Amino acid sequence: MICIRVRFAEAEIAGQRRNMEENRFQERKDMILSLMNEKEYVPMKLKELAILLNVPRENREELKAVLDALIAEGKIGVSKKGKYAKAEIFAQKGVFSAHPRGFGFVTIEGREDDVFVAPDNVKDAMDGDTVQVVVDETSGNRRAEAVVIRVLVRANETIIGTFEKSRHFGFVIPDNPRITADVFIPEGMEMGAVSGHKVVVRLTSYGGERKNPEGRITEILGHVNDPGVDIFSIVRAYNLPEGYPEEVLAEAAKAPEALSESEILAELERGRVDLRDTVMVTIDGEDAKDLDDAVSISKEVIDGHPIYHLGVHIADVTHYVKEDSALDKEALKRGTSVYLVDRVIPMLPHRLSNGICSLNAGCDRFALSCLMDVDEKGNIVSHRICESVVRIDRRMTYTTVHAILRDGAARKESGTGEYADLVPMFLLMNETAQILRKKRMARGAVDFDFPECKIILDEKGRPTDIRPYERNDATMLIEDFMLAANETVAEEYYWQQVPFLYRTHEKPDEEKIRRFGILINNFGYSIRLQNGELHPKEMQKLLAKVSGTPEEALLSRLALRSMKQAKYTTECVGHFGLAAKYYTHFTSPIRRYPDLQIHRIIKENLHGELNERRLSHYERKLGEVAVWTSARERLADEAERETDKAKKVQYMERHIGDEYDGVISGISNYGFYVELPNTVEGMVRVSELDGDYYVFDESRYELIGERTGKSFKLGQQIRIRVVSVDRFMKTIDFQPVKNF
């Protein structure tokens, strides 16, 4: 008993000591915060602070610990030069991207890499919020880390999810996987919703500090199994616009349905070039309605060498969408058109996108033209960028042009058929495209050719078929021409040294490439690094080697995942995937805001209007436009993927019990994914693998049976049976056919 009392007393003394140390540590933090809040305080290094506070050299580590604690709490910051000050001094603004596991990243304009935010430092920030962060600039070679100190702009005033009812309260499971916390719904705030309803929740509290967000239901969208509710929920979950404000529609209504001759004459007098006699066509998908690019071609021989006169003509959207108008503000807010499986959410109202801005055949239209002279080696030896007026001769489709190119020689010889007069032009276009493509591939451009799909829906929005998209000569021809125009415009304005928006793609991280190298070694392939860096030509060589093999689609996708995301920036740092020094997005102003923005700069430059005031204006504006439109592009991509996943799940729900041949596309410690030829992906769980205990070998990316030694590898072909689907989680479960 005495021994127990002694131990208890010792524990009590130790506890008192800990409390005293914690109190002393807190007092030191308070003292430093008080010092930094004084008006006279200027940012200081550790040594300077130690001298000011009379901290002996032997106690500086303790001072450093106090400062580190304050940085971790987001109360102070530290500069790249190691100077400390209150958080607001070094705070930076960016857009927060959440991860389903609770951590996140902040994209800050001007920083090469996003900064990492640990789960404990997210505070109450949600995916898409504009936040103020303090970045720890002393991370050395590690990725910089940050602490969110406040949310500046909320991206999620409402959340879409599935309601679940408990006895005295409810909760909503968000559809957006990046919003990881369920939303608590107090009793009386559920608006009559029952379990399984898709609902809209208006947040009344954003949670944080380990508390769930709280809200009230404002709208019931329908039951999870009702037709159309799945896509409607995704539209709402990603806060995609469903209509236009009245002032935007009123402004769009003022746009003419056609160009008058007087307006054309006035523009020609201002310097616009009349290209209506130049034969040109649009080439798009069958169901495209917003036609923003047209192409023209001719050829002449100069000094015994051919010169191809290639014209890329882009809709002059900024003629109708003026800066800071209601249309412009709405276009910037949207950032991009969103192409979902059953609808298009356009950046601009149909009055413009399908009307006066669309390069419809037989109609006079204003355009911005990039006229390029291409030599026989694919070099663009001269070019001109100008405002133009055009008249499209024919509206062509990829399918039709592909058929013409496939049997073009026979069509040319016969001189008959619906497009007989245009056949020579298409053959010349294909000749030019191949020259441009050869030049681009020679420098190392990486050509990812993924199997994409088109999901066919019935009148009730139910999927009836999933068909692969075909990439053919016609689609590649347009890609080649658009790439050439984008590069030409980017290089021109880089050397003009005016504020501009570039489309950039940075070199891959060394660690990701190292892991990718390990993966492809399992297939018998390798890549060569130079000074730890990957040249795009090495990736191109690899993809050429795997072309036509069973593992082609898998390794192409893994290669893409090893790379960084392309984004918009104000600095021209090149495009790794295209092996291009200069690149921008110039060719789609109807559906991408960055294109529209640079058209405005180009036009002002052509008219000599880029004075100091306008240059200063664009210096201030473009950084925010780059960050915002990059974020909107990512959001649109995610929404498109989510709608595809939802419809694929519905499609496979009707095929439970059916068997398919597929390829193992991913492996983890709880199972492996199998991709089918129609691009549907499902999981085979370890529990479905009978007769052995399977262990995940991370170094080789294999599941290996401990008893039999049987393994499942990336790229391995396997026959599976569809066993179940989960509409809510948008997942599909497979089971190996027994004789695997």
Side-chain angles (χ1 to χ4, degrees):
M1 183 67 73
I2 293 172
C3 185
I4 293 173
R5 286 174 182 167
V6 169
R7 288 176 184 167
F8 182 82
E10 288 174 346
E12 189 172 14
I13 291 168
Q16 289 172 352
R17 284 176 180 164
R18 279 197 303 274
N19 289 337
M20 288 173 64
E21 288 171 1
E22 288 172 4
N23 290 337
R24 189 161 61 243
F25 196 76
Q26 185 60 48
E27 286 172 4
R28 289 170 179 169
K29 289 198 295 183
D30 293 342
M31 180 182 66
I32 289 172
L33 279 177
S34 177
L35 170 66
M36 292 184 178
N37 280 322
E38 291 180 6
K39 289 183 180 179
E40 296 79 11
Y41 180 81
V42 294
M44 295 183 185
K45 292 186 176 181
L46 177 65
K47 181 179 178 181
E48 295 168 325
L49 273 170
I51 293 171
L52 180 66
L53 297 171
N54 294 319
V55 177
R57 186 183 298 271
E58 60 270 17
N59 290 346
R60 284 185 187 173
E61 283 302 314
E62 192 175 344
L63 174 61
K64 178 71 164 54
V66 174
L67 293 170
D68 288 346
L70 288 169
I71 291 172
E73 293 169 12
K75 293 177 179 177
I76 70 169
V78 58
S79 72
K80 289 183 178 179
K81 293 182 178 180
K83 294 187 175 184
Y84 297 87
K86 60 182 182 179
E88 289 76 8
I89 300 294
F90 299 127
Q92 300 177 59
K93 185 173 76 169
V95 177
F96 178 71
S97 299
H99 189 278
R101 293 189 204 164
F103 56 85
F105 300 91
V106 176
T107 303
I108 301 170
E109 171 61 19
R111 292 191 74 101
E112 186 173 321
D113 295 314
D114 296 343
V115 294
F116 175 78
V117 183
D120 290 343
N121 295 329
V122 168
K123 299 233 174 4
D124 62 347
M126 288 185 175
D127 188 56
D129 286 350
T130 301
V131 296
Q132 196 173 47
V133 295
V134 174
V135 182
D136 182 357
E137 304 285 7
T138 61
S139 55
N141 294 327
R142 295 181 294 107
R143 179 192 283 270
E145 296 194 16
V147 177
V148 174
I149 58 175
R150 65 175 57 87
V151 175
L152 300 175
V153 181
R154 292 284 182 188
N156 303 280
E157 293 182 356
T158 59
I159 284 178
I160 312 302
T162 305
F163 181 72
E164 293 294 332
K165 178 71 174 172
S166 292
R167 186 173 179 184
H168 296 299
F169 63 91
F171 57 93
V172 171
I173 306 166
D175 282 356
N176 185 349
R178 295 177 180 271
I179 299 176
T180 55
D182 296 342
V183 182
F184 177 75
I185 308 296
E187 191 170 20
M189 296 292 178
E190 67 273 16
M191 199 183 167
V194 300
S195 293
H197 266 150
K198 287 284 186 181
V199 297
V200 181
V201 181
R202 179 160 294 280
L203 296 178
T204 54
S205 164
Y206 286 88
E209 301 299 328
R210 294 180 173 78
K211 289 184 180 178
N212 282 47
E214 190 172 315
R216 58 184 177 85
I217 294 175
T218 59
E219 188 178 352
I220 297 173
L221 303 178
H223 195 272
V224 66
N225 293 324
D226 292 343
V229 169
D230 53 351
I231 305 301
F232 188 36
S233 298
I234 291 170
V235 169
R236 289 293 191 88
Y238 283 88
N239 200 26
L240 300 175
E242 298 171 55
Y244 291 92
E246 286 299 321
E247 63 270 24
V248 173
L249 293 175
E251 205 168 87
K254 296 176 183 176
E257 292 185 0
L259 290 178
S260 66
E261 194 60 35
S262 61
E263 187 176 9
I264 292 172
L265 286 172
E267 281 293 305
L268 292 176
E269 287 178 6
R270 291 182 70 244
R272 194 176 285 271
V273 180
D274 194 342
L275 298 178
R276 286 176 289 180
D277 290 335
T278 301
V279 177
M280 59 182 69
V281 296
T282 59
I283 307 175
D284 294 275
E286 279 81 357
D287 51 359
K289 296 181 176 63
D290 50 350
L291 313 179
D292 52 10
D293 60 85
V295 289
S296 61
I297 194 75
S298 63
K299 177 182 176 181
E300 67 174 319
V301 177
I302 301 175
D303 296 330
H305 297 283
I307 293 293
Y308 302 85
H309 301 299
L310 169 63
V312 173
H313 314 277
I314 308 301
D316 188 355
V317 178
T318 58
H319 188 79
Y320 306 98
V321 181
K322 302 301 183 184
E323 186 175 38
D324 289 334
S325 64
L327 277 166
D328 185 49
K329 290 175 181 175
E330 183 67 17
L332 175 57
K333 181 181 176 183
R334 296 179 178 223
T336 181
S337 294
V338 185
Y339 296 85
L340 303 181
V341 67
D342 67 340
R343 71 195 74 186
V344 176
I345 301 174
M347 184 176 79
L348 297 170
H350 290 298
R351 170 85 179 191
L352 293 175
S353 62
N354 295 6
I356 193 66
C357 289
S358 183
L359 303 182
N360 299 329
C363 301
D364 291 342
R365 291 288 190 260
F366 289 148
L368 210 55
S369 295
C370 182
L371 308 174
M372 296 162 279
D373 291 338
V374 184
D375 70 13
E376 57 196 318
K377 295 181 180 179
N379 300 307
I380 297 172
V381 293
S382 65
H383 71 274
R384 181 186 181 191
I385 301 166
C386 62
E387 292 176 301
S388 60
V389 56
V390 300
R391 183 182 297 148
I392 308 306
D393 292 87
R394 289 289 185 97
R395 187 251 198 261
M396 304 295 294
T397 67
Y398 293 127
T399 304
T400 304
V401 174
H402 174 58
I404 290 172
L405 297 178
R406 187 186 57 217
D407 52 13
R411 289 184 185 230
K412 185 177 180 180
E413 188 174 333
S414 68
T416 60
E418 184 180 357
Y419 305 105
D421 55 328
L422 297 177
V423 168
M425 183 184 72
F426 289 123
L427 294 177
L428 185 56
M429 283 184 177
N430 196 38
E431 181 182 328
T432 310
Q434 289 177 356
I435 290 170
L436 289 168
R437 195 178 312 143
K438 183 179 179 181
K439 169 79 182 301
R440 192 173 68 253
M441 300 309 283
R443 76 187 184 207
V446 183
D447 187 15
F448 289 105
D449 187 9
F450 296 117
E452 296 185 18
C453 69
K454 183 175 179 64
I455 301 172
I456 311 300
L457 306 178
D458 64 16
E459 66 281 356
K460 292 185 177 180
R462 295 173 300 202
T464 58
D465 196 9
I466 301 176
R467 299 174 188 167
Y469 270 126
E470 286 191 16
R471 189 167 176 245
N472 56 42
D473 288 342
T475 60
M476 290 192 292
L477 179 153
I478 290 299
E479 286 172 17
D480 293 325
F481 289 174
M482 297 306 118
L483 288 171
N486 286 333
E487 286 188 51
T488 300
V489 170
E491 183 171 4
E492 164 80 15
Y493 277 82
Y494 173 79
W495 291 111
Q496 291 261 7
Q497 294 187 322
V498 298
F500 211 63
L501 280 176
Y502 298 95
R503 180 67 170 179
T504 59
H505 186 215
E506 297 167 13
K507 294 177 181 178
D509 288 326
E510 189 175 334
E511 176 60 23
K512 281 191 174 182
I513 288 298
R514 188 189 65 79
R515 289 172 58 194
F516 176 67
I518 294 172
L519 281 172
I520 64 174
N521 280 338
N522 294 330
F523 293 89
Y525 301 105
S526 62
I527 50 175
R528 186 168 57 90
L529 304 181
Q530 296 176 346
N531 299 322
E533 290 189 352
L534 176 71
H535 190 278
K537 200 166 186 67
E538 281 298 307
M539 189 68 80
Q540 182 200 84
K541 288 178 183 176
L542 171 68
L543 295 179
K545 287 178 183 176
V546 304
S547 179
T549 65
E551 62 266 21
E552 178 184 5
L554 170 65
L555 292 187
S556 294
R557 194 163 281 121
L558 290 173
L560 185 63
R561 289 173 187 168
S562 72
M563 294 187 178
K564 294 185 178 180
Q565 278 189 316
K567 60 184 178 181
Y568 298 106
T569 61
T570 56
E571 297 295 320
C572 184
V573 297
H575 195 292
F576 177 85
L578 294 172
K581 290 182 179 179
Y582 319 96
Y583 196 67
T584 190
H585 272 171
F586 162 78
T587 54
S588 295
I590 289 178
R591 62 184 180 89
R592 294 187 305 226
Y593 191 84
D595 305 52
L596 187 148
Q597 178 66 78
I598 69 168
H599 275 221
R600 193 170 284 138
I601 295 170
I602 291 169
K603 283 165 62 95
E604 287 187 42
N605 188 50
L606 290 174
H607 290 285
E609 297 169 354
L610 280 182
N611 54 34
E612 287 300 319
R613 182 181 64 82
R614 294 301 292 166
L615 290 171
S616 178
H617 165 73
Y618 285 124
E619 289 280 5
R620 292 192 306 271
K621 180 177 182 177
L622 293 184
E624 291 187 2
V625 171
V627 172
W628 172 253
T629 53
S630 295
R632 293 300 297 176
E633 178 190 40
R634 288 195 295 268
L635 182 139
D637 288 343
E638 287 182 21
E640 290 167 20
R641 281 194 296 269
E642 284 298 302
T643 54
D644 282 357
K645 281 170 61 179
K647 291 305 179 185
K648 286 178 178 180
V649 167
Q650 285 185 36
Y651 178 78
M652 297 308 290
E653 191 174 34
R654 294 163 46 207
H655 292 273
I656 290 175
D658 290 356
E659 295 181 5
Y660 298 89
D661 290 317
V663 175
I664 296 178
S665 56
I667 299 181
S668 70
N669 54 11
Y670 45 85
F672 56 85
Y673 291 94
V674 176
E675 184 174 313
L676 307 184
N678 63 5
T679 73
V680 168
E681 192 174 56
M683 166 161 264
V684 174
R685 301 183 185 277
V686 172
S687 57
E688 297 288 346
L689 304 176
D690 297 334
D692 207 341
Y693 179 75
Y694 286 85
V695 177
F696 177 45
D697 184 339
E698 191 170 357
S699 65
R700 296 164 60 188
Y701 275 78
E702 290 183 46
L703 275 178
I704 303 173
E706 286 193 337
R707 183 175 59 81
T708 62
K710 181 172 179 59
S711 66
F712 295 93
K713 305 177 182 180
L714 283 172
Q716 180 178 325
Q717 294 187 338
I718 185 171
R719 188 164 183 82
I720 56 87
R721 180 182 296 111
V722 184
V723 292
S724 66
V725 302
D726 186 327
R727 281 199 181 195
F728 174 69
M729 297 300 293
K730 301 186 186 74
T731 57
I732 304 166
D733 283 344
F734 295 154
Q735 180 184 68
V737 173
K738 282 302 174 187
N739 61 351
F740 68 84

